[in-house]
Amino acid sequence: MKEQFIVEYKEVAGLFELHNMFLNTMQDVVKNNGNPVELADMAFALREMSKLFKDMEKDTRILGELAEKMACLKWMVAGGDEDNIKTDYCTATPDMKHIAAIPKREKDPEAFAALMKHFNIPESAFPGEDEDIVRPHWPGVVSALSKAMQEGKPLPKGIDPTKTYPHYRLTIRKRKDIDS
Amino acid sequence: MAKSKKNEAAQAAKKVEETLPAVVTPKTGAIAALPAHLQEDAGVGLEDMQQFIRPARVKVIQKTASDLLLEDFRVGDLVLMPNKVVVAEIAADERGRSKEEGAPFFFVPLFFYAEWLTVNPFQMRTSLPMIRDRTIDPNSQLRAKCNNQNLWYEACPENPEFKIRNVEALNFVCLILHNEQLENIPVILSFQRGEHRTGTMFLSSIKMRKAAIFGNVFQAHSQYRPDAGKGDWYGIEVENPSEESGVSPFVLEPEQYAKFKAMHAELKAAHEKGLILADYEDETEEAEVGDSKGEF
């Protein structure tokens, strides 16, 4: 593993420990404080801290997802026979789903109707406006597309093949602690 | 090259020759026509050349193709190079212009490999070859450059005014099916630059099927790329076989599967020895023409 990532992991783990200690200590300080001004400031400070952590989590997750996607792409291009990527720290198994843009009824009613027909949905179930009983559920469509791809079946009618793309994820199993 | 390694490579090439059809390693078949005193030494001095496998390549005819090609083919036609045999045609609309989608063809991908290239600037074509450097070594510096967007372009050492381009090519050695003229001829489908994404999509389609690469059947056609910003640019779209075609997405006959498996093994062995040589000189040149015109 790259040294920067080991160092950063240790930094974050250290901060996590320190912050947990701070929160535990402050439980009593908050509970036993009768000053509304001080309590409002504490609430404000904790809310701001929470925002920082959320931002940090989001940015960390996004970079992690990019690393997952890149790992899958490079693993595919490497063209090996192995089903997974083994490192000293983890075993990562690439997983791919097929994502597609669902045609919008307003912009492309023909494609939308073709898609619904493909899934055997009668027209009476989607007359439009507030009378629709059935609408495409995106995760369900993604799952159906992925199944079709696995079985070598063509894309459902109405799905534009040029507006499809694979979604790459890694299932990661830990083999060794980063700070071990 | 050490003698033993050379022998090893020659043996691997011979094995490939035995499995793959003659078109892969073309033979003249004209030994008998040679004068008697030349027959004994026929081919001497060409051993190294014969080791290489040069599969024909499926080329999309672009508007930047040579006049010679444009005389015989329509923009968007899929043609086998250098044989110049049509793989799949594209029809014309009422104004005589190529339609957006060509006719499909069906194929089995036998083997996949990536190659990394350095392409010289089109402007230097009279003094430099189109392909400056090429490697299949995944640990090479060139591969690292191709994988780093900031290093795709570098100043051309011979003329820093122009840029050399580092390119990753995704190559699939395939067998075309249901076409008497082309059946059993391994061909290369190569995806690079603007078509690289199609190559990765194709790779992931293969991976999603879970079957061995040579157990799958796909269909492909030439496709107009309106959003590519390249003018009248056509790419190759790869899909699962359509329902109308009635073609199975998997190789159904065990005998055929065993044959494809053997071909895969031979190609893999040849690749490990660096013996598969894709010829994409003209493809690269056309892409460079487009680049130099600022079309994409």
Side-chain angles (χ1 to χ4, degrees), chain B residues 9-260:
Chain B
Q11 274 176 358
K14 191 166 176 283
K15 275 179 85 180
V16 170
E17 264 185 52
E18 284 163 7
T19 314
L20 300 176
V23 72
V24 183
T25 47
K27 293 173 186 170
T28 61
I31 292 174
L34 290 175
H37 68 284
L38 297 184
Q39 286 187 17
E40 193 182 331
D41 295 328
V44 169
L46 298 172
E47 297 88 346
D48 278 355
M49 201 171 83
Q50 285 176 349
Q51 286 172 15
F52 290 103
I53 301 169
R54 294 173 184 265
R57 184 175 46 80
V58 178
K59 174 185 172 59
V60 189
I61 301 293
Q62 307 289 357
K63 71 171 184 182
T64 48
S66 68
D67 291 343
L68 216 60
L69 282 174
L70 289 171
E71 265 174 32
D72 295 338
F73 305 105
R74 193 189 299 284
V75 172
D77 276 346
L78 296 176
V79 178
L80 213 55
M81 296 294 281
N83 321 44
K84 293 185 185 167
V85 176
V86 174
V87 176
E89 282 180 321
I90 196 162
D93 62 16
E94 59 278 3
R95 288 190 293 171
R97 290 171 51 167
S98 300
K99 287 189 168 178
E100 293 195 350
E101 197 175 308
F105 69 97
F106 301 89
F107 66 97
V108 173
L110 290 175
F111 183 69
F112 162 77
Y113 72 99
E115 184 165 20
W116 298 279
L117 319 166
T118 300
V119 181
N120 277 319
F122 176 70
Q123 295 86 344
M124 301 290 286
R125 66 191 180 284
T126 50
S127 52
L128 297 173
M130 216 54 229
I131 309 286
R132 185 185 192 93
D133 193 10
R134 60 194 295 171
T135 181
I136 54 166
D137 178 4
N139 301 313
S140 65
Q141 206 187 355
L142 178 51
R143 190 245 168 115
K145 285 179 181 176
C146 292
N147 285 340
N148 184 341
Q149 216 166 329
N150 299 322
L151 301 175
W152 282 358
Y153 293 94
E154 295 176 277
C156 177
E158 289 80 8
N159 186 345
E161 194 186 326
F162 302 120
K163 298 246 188 300
I164 55 174
R165 170 82 152 93
N166 299 314
V167 177
E168 179 174 80
L170 304 178
N171 296 331
F172 298 84
V173 184
C174 308
L175 266 192
I176 294 175
L177 304 174
H178 312 301
N179 183 324
E180 276 182 24
Q181 205 181 355
L182 301 175
E183 207 138 3
N184 293 325
I185 300 176
V187 301
I188 276 195
L189 282 176
S190 182
F191 300 91
Q192 44 178 287
R193 302 187 191 218
E195 290 297 308
H196 188 275
R197 181 182 175 275
T198 309
T200 54
M201 287 280 289
F202 179 28
L203 255 183
S204 60
S205 296
I206 295 170
K207 289 281 185 191
M208 283 180 84
R209 295 248 198 119
K210 308 284 185 200
I213 184 170
F214 45 84
N216 294 295
V217 180
F218 287 89
Q219 80 173 47
H221 63 264
S222 72
Q223 176 72 49
Y224 179 56
R225 306 274 192 221
D227 301 325
K230 301 168 183 173
D232 294 331
W233 191 263
Y234 283 82
I236 298 177
E237 201 67 38
V238 182
E239 298 168 314
N240 291 330
S242 66
E243 276 172 10
E244 301 81 58
S245 70
V247 173
S248 165
F250 299 104
V251 176
L252 296 177
E253 289 175 30
E255 274 178 23
Q256 206 177 27
Y257 181 77
K259 180 182 146 193
F260 296 159

Side-chain angles (χ1 to χ4, degrees), chain A residues 42-94:
Chain A
M42 287 174 196
F44 174 61
L46 287 163
R47 192 191 69 182
E48 293 302 297
M49 281 183 233
S50 178
K51 272 190 196 170
L52 289 174
F53 283 123
K54 267 188 198 159
D55 282 353
M56 202 163 81
E57 186 278 329
K58 187 182 159 200
D59 292 342
T60 309
R61 180 168 43 80
I62 288 172
L63 187 60
E65 284 171 359
L66 176 65
E68 285 187 35
K69 179 184 163 184
M70 296 299 292
C72 290
L73 281 169
K74 300 305 166 190
W75 169 78
M76 280 197 316
V77 172
D81 295 331
E82 294 81 16
D83 288 337
N84 49 40
I85 306 163
K86 268 205 175 99
T87 81
D88 289 344
Y89 293 88
C90 67
T91 303
T93 308

Side-chain angles (χ1 to χ4, degrees), chain B residues 1-10 48 51-52 273 275:
Chain B
M1 194 190 283
K3 201 174 176 184
S4 63
K5 204 172 175 189
K6 204 170 179 176
N7 287 340
E8 209 183 332
D48 278 355
Q51 286 172 15
F52 290 103
K273 294 178 169 63
L275 297 177

